[in-house]
């Protein structure tokens, strides 16, 4: 069992075979009827033939359309899946554009799904708009990242040719993400971000990764040898497939030889993620340097020389990159962003659906528990054929919009029951769960029928958790197979923490039931 995928691929063959059998059996019948109708006259005979042949043609056409559509959808899904697992660089521009279009369409479809909460649908709005805008206007975002006070804002100011972003010798000047158009090129924005501190490294890497999502080109601004946190940042951005330029800022701090040595060292350390010409030394601020000057009389005096900023090598490299690769980078990033959006949207929808699904499981587990507790006979087969579980599975399928009928649900449940027996090593489930429950403090009150009820509740919850996983994963065969999923979920459901939780919930349900009865009897 649990072969729904294989079954569905066999479906067209089965349908064709059924049609062939039908034609063979019906042909005799058709001929006999034709002979009968022929006696009424040629008009009737012709009418009969046209109806039969036309009807058959329509039936066959419908069958082929349905089969064709099924086959096309499966093929499309497989292609989409394969494409999503490939890096943008492995896809042609038209394939990338097609995927962006499909990803946006998928999220828009989720947005128009009225069975999802309005809040959830609204949450997706700004994300979709951002990508759609980027697609429409094609603005390339160049984002500066780096340690606090490395000179990100100064560098962007110099690139922009005016003081737009505030700078200060004290760290932490920039606190939000700010953006301006870059006069150096058409449809390019410069984005400033808050500096990353050495402390809370991991947390800040995460913040940076979030902020970097929309970046097309990243300027990692450093002011000396790479710190561990800066290397980790470059690694995170590299893993996100960002195009990175490393700017060794405050080059005035170093002598020419030392500066070149530093650039080579950084290029060497980051070569996995950054191209060697993309490590560039810059000076983003006017600096004052003291120089000794020899006068005409041979005496020396100290003078202060102002050195203007120098970002030319960086600006040239940026222009070159935008000119030669801008469109490709933009499209690749649009694709990555749209993939991120689909994942995010799916994650949020799944979370909401999981919530609804667990409510269904909760309702059914106590229904099943009540039925088991009140039953005068021991429940021999705890799973297969259990009406409550079947209904629960069908309700769960509906929540995840998966098609499932009663027969398949019962088959799946009976298969699951075999796993249960396997897990319990042939012991009846009630006895096994009962002995487990006895080890929980506070479960001593659970005797007789109540114990049976609790066992049924745990098993129903286990079934629910297996199916939540199955439906949540679009009815795909689980990784590691069904037996593994069943075992994992069983271990989860029968962990001491879960069992305690279930006993507590049972107590609550019992006392709620009692007080309900008392209130009614008053
Ligand atoms: N010597 C020297 N100082 C620089 C250079 N670039 C920036 N500075 C100084 O470095 C300090 C920090 O500059 P900011 O541009 O505010 O640095 P930031 O990275 O934006 O800082 P936060 O926003 O606080 O993270 C300021 O005092 C700048 O004047 C440079 O090339 N050489
Ligand atoms: Mg700043």
């Amino acid at each position: 069992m649990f072969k729904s995928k294989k079954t569905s691929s066999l479906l067209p063959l089965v349908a064709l075979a059924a049609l062939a059998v039908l034609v063979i059996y019906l042909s005799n019948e058709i001929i006999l009827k034709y002979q009968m109708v022929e006696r009424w006259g040629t008009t009737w005979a012709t009418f009969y033939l046209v109806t039969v042949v036309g009807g058959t043609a329509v039936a066959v056409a419908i069958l082929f359309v349905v089969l064709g559509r099924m086959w096309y959808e499966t093929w499309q899904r497989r292609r989409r899946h394969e494409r999503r697992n490939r890096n943008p660089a492995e896809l042609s521009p038209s394939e990338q554009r097609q995927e962006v279009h499909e990803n946006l369409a998928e999220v828009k479809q989720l947005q128009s799904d009225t069975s999802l909460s309005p809040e959830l649908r609204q949450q997706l709005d700004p994300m979709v708009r951002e990508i759609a805008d980027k697609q429409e206007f094609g603005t390339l975002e160049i984002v500066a990242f780096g340690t606090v006070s490395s000179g990100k804002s100064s560098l962007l100011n110099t690139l922009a040719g005016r003081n737009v972003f505030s700078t200060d010798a004290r760290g932490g000047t920039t606190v939000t993400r700010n953006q301006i158009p870059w006069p150096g090129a058409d449809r390019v924005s410069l984005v400033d971000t808050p500096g990353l501190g050495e402390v809370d490294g991991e947390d800040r890497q995460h913040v940076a990764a979030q902020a970097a999502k929309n970046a097309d080109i990243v300027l990692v601004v450093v002011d000396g040898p790479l710190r561990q946190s800066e290397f980790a940042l470059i690694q995170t951005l590299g893993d996100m497939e960002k195009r990175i330029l490393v700017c060794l800022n405050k080059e005035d701090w170093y002598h020419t030889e030392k500066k070149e040595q530093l650039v080579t060292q950084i290029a060497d350390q980051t070569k996995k993620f950054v191209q060697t010409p993309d490590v560039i030394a810059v000076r983003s601020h006017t600096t004052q340097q003291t120089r000794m000057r020899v006068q005409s009389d041979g005496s020396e005096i100290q003078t202060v020389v102002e050195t203007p900023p120098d970002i030319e090598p960086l600006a040239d490299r940026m222009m070159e990159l935008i000119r030669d690769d801008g469109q490709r980078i933009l499209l690749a990033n649009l694709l990555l962003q749209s993939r991120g959006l689909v994942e995010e949207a799916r994650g949020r929808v799944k979370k909401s659906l999981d919530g609804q699904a667990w409510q269904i499981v909760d309702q059914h587990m106590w229904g099943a528990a009540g039925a088991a507790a009140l039953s005068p006979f021991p429940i021999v087969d705890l799973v297969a054929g259990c009406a409550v579980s079947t209904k629960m599975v069908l309700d769960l399928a509906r929540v995840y919009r998966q098609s499932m009928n009663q027969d398949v649900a019962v088959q799946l449940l009976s298969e699951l029951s075999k796993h249960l027996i396997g897990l319990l090593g042939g012991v009846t489930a009630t006895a096994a769960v009962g002995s487990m429950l006895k080890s929980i403090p506070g479960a001593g009150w659970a005797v007789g029928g109540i114990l049976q009820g609790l066992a049924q509740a745990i098993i129903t919850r286990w079934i629910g958790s297996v199916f939540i996983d199955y439906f949540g994963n679009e009815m795909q065969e689980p990784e590691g197979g069904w037996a593994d999923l069943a075992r994992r979920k069983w271990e989860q459901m029968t962990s001491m923490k879960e069992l305690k939780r279930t006993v507590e919930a049972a107590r609550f349900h019992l006392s709620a039931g009692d007080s309900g009865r008392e209130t009614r009897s008053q």
Side-chain angles (χ1 to χ4, degrees):
M1 256 317 299
F2 289 123
K3 285 176 191 147
S4 54
K5 285 225 113 195
K6 284 183 195 156
T7 319
S8 69
S9 58
L10 275 178
L11 216 67
L13 283 180
V14 174
L16 273 178
L19 189 75
V21 170
L22 217 65
V23 169
I24 291 165
Y25 279 95
L26 281 182
S27 55
N28 215 13
E29 186 79 2
I30 291 168
I31 293 166
L32 283 175
K33 289 252 164 66
Y34 177 73
Q35 285 163 353
M36 196 182 87
V37 175
E38 207 182 15
R39 273 182 245 128
W40 301 346
T42 36
T43 318
W44 282 108
T46 315
F47 178 70
Y48 175 80
L49 271 183
V50 168
T51 315
V52 169
V53 173
T56 311
V58 169
V60 171
I62 290 175
L63 186 75
F64 274 97
V65 167
V66 170
L67 291 181
R69 187 177 287 178
M70 269 172 65
W71 175 84
Y72 181 71
E73 273 173 15
T74 315
W75 176 74
Q76 283 272 57
R77 212 176 307 149
R78 197 178 316 132
R79 244 190 76 205
R80 264 206 300 270
H81 193 74
E82 278 169 8
R83 207 169 43 199
R84 264 189 201 145
N85 286 336
R86 281 154 70 191
N87 291 335
E90 296 169 319
L91 299 170
S92 70
S94 70
E95 281 176 316
Q96 295 186 34
R97 256 179 240 112
Q98 169 74 12
E99 196 190 319
V100 172
H101 175 76
E102 283 169 7
N103 289 345
L104 278 177
E106 183 176 333
V107 179
K108 280 181 187 159
Q109 197 185 350
L110 286 175
Q111 278 188 303
S112 58
D113 188 338
T114 46
S115 64
L116 296 172
S117 74
E119 298 85 51
L120 177 68
R121 289 188 282 145
Q122 264 168 20
Q123 280 169 11
L124 300 174
D125 249 2
M127 294 189 256
V128 175
R129 216 175 311 126
E130 203 172 302
I131 295 183
D133 282 356
K134 191 160 184 153
Q135 195 180 28
E136 191 183 337
F137 304 115
T139 305
L140 203 77
E141 283 181 29
I142 300 182
V143 185
F145 283 106
T147 310
V148 166
S149 246
S150 58
K152 301 171 291 298
S153 306
S154 306
L155 176 64
L156 296 183
N157 281 341
T158 313
L159 279 169
R162 58 201 170 109
N163 282 343
V164 212
F165 304 115
S166 353
T167 65
D168 200 290
R170 287 166 296 170
T173 316
T174 310
V175 285
T176 52
R177 178 187 184 281
N178 304 307
Q179 176 169 347
I180 53 152
W182 186 32
D186 194 26
R187 280 181 294 169
V188 177
S189 294
L190 297 177
V191 182
D192 196 12
T193 65
L196 306 179
E198 286 280 63
V199 278
D200 300 335
E202 291 225 339
D203 229 28
R204 284 166 181 260
Q205 301 308 336
H206 178 71
V207 175
Q210 282 300 106
K213 267 187 185 164
N214 297 350
D216 297 300
I217 297 173
V218 173
L219 305 180
V220 174
V221 185
V222 301
D223 58 7
L226 273 195
R227 299 168 167 97
Q228 180 51 39
S229 58
E230 287 166 339
F231 182 74
L233 168 70
I234 292 174
Q235 204 168 16
T236 310
L237 295 165
D239 289 341
M240 291 168 80
E241 295 190 37
K242 296 292 169 187
R243 181 63 188 258
I244 307 166
L245 300 182
V246 180
C247 314
L248 172 63
N249 190 30
K250 307 184 186 176
E251 55 132 59
D252 50 287
W253 282 358
Y254 308 98
H255 293 299
T256 314
E257 204 181 314
K258 173 77 182 153
K259 182 181 76 186
E260 279 162 9
Q261 200 186 328
L262 253 179
V263 168
T264 315
Q265 184 186 319
I266 294 172
D268 201 45
Q269 285 173 308
T270 58
K271 62 173 180 279
K272 195 172 162 206
F273 310 103
V274 186
Q275 296 180 14
T276 306
D278 290 344
V279 180
I280 302 160
V282 287
R283 196 168 59 240
S284 312
H285 211 265
T286 305
T287 51
Q288 293 180 334
Q289 279 161 354
T290 46
R291 296 253 165 87
M292 297 306 283
R293 223 178 61 206
V294 184
Q295 301 199 86
S296 50
D297 62 358
S299 61
E300 287 185 349
I301 57 155
Q302 215 179 31
T303 54
V304 177
V305 183
E306 282 220 332
T307 321
D310 181 12
I311 46 107
E312 216 174 297
L314 173 69
D316 288 349
R317 184 73 184 143
M318 280 165 65
M319 293 288 250
E320 193 184 317
L321 200 62
I322 293 163
R323 192 187 55 229
D324 299 346
D325 244 4
Q327 284 309 311
R328 195 192 56 76
I329 294 175
L330 193 72
L331 183 58
N333 204 48
L334 200 60
L335 174 63
L336 292 175
Q337 265 179 273
S338 73
R339 281 183 184 173
L341 173 68
V342 168
E343 249 169 60
E344 174 94 30
R346 280 191 191 163
R348 287 188 194 207
V349 169
K350 185 165 182 317
K351 207 168 153 203
S352 145
L353 297 184
D354 283 353
Q356 292 174 33
W358 279 110
Q359 267 180 11
I360 289 176
V361 172
D362 270 347
Q363 282 159 14
H364 286 79
M365 72 187 264
W366 298 120
L374 297 175
S375 160
F377 308 110
I379 299 173
V380 183
D381 189 349
L382 286 160
V383 183
C386 175
V388 178
S389 298
T390 312
K391 184 168 175 305
M392 175 179 76
V393 169
L394 293 177
D395 286 356
L396 290 178
R398 249 191 306 280
V399 166
Y400 290 98
R401 296 165 190 78
Q402 300 295 316
S403 59
M404 154 99 20
N405 64 35
Q406 188 151 342
D407 294 345
V408 180
V410 170
Q411 274 176 317
L412 289 170
L413 281 169
S414 71
E415 186 67 19
L416 207 53
S417 75
K418 284 186 212 148
H419 288 304
L420 180 64
I421 291 164
L423 284 165
L424 299 174
V427 192
T428 68
T430 316
V433 177
S435 64
M436 257 184 291
L437 285 171
K438 277 183 196 131
S439 61
I440 307 174
W445 54 273
V447 284
I450 294 177
L451 191 61
Q452 270 184 350
L454 262 175
Q456 184 63 56
I458 291 165
I459 288 163
T460 313
R461 197 169 170 78
W462 168 67
I463 294 170
S465 69
V466 169
F467 278 92
I468 284 179
D469 222 80
Y470 178 51
F471 292 136
N473 218 2
E474 294 182 340
M475 292 170 80
Q476 310 254 4
E477 174 118 16
E479 248 176 71
W482 278 97
D484 183 58
L485 175 66
R487 186 185 47 74
R488 268 188 291 123
K489 292 291 169 188
W490 181 254
E491 277 168 12
Q492 224 170 308
M493 289 303 127
T494 55
S495 68
M496 199 49 94
K497 198 170 134 222
E498 250 327 286
L499 287 175
K500 270 187 189 157
R501 213 190 65 84
T502 311
V503 171
E504 282 310 311
R507 272 186 166 158
F508 172 78
H509 273 266
L510 268 178
S511 57
D514 284 350
S515 58
R517 265 197 296 282
E518 275 161 26
T519 327
R520 273 193 296 278
S521 58
Q522 273 164 12

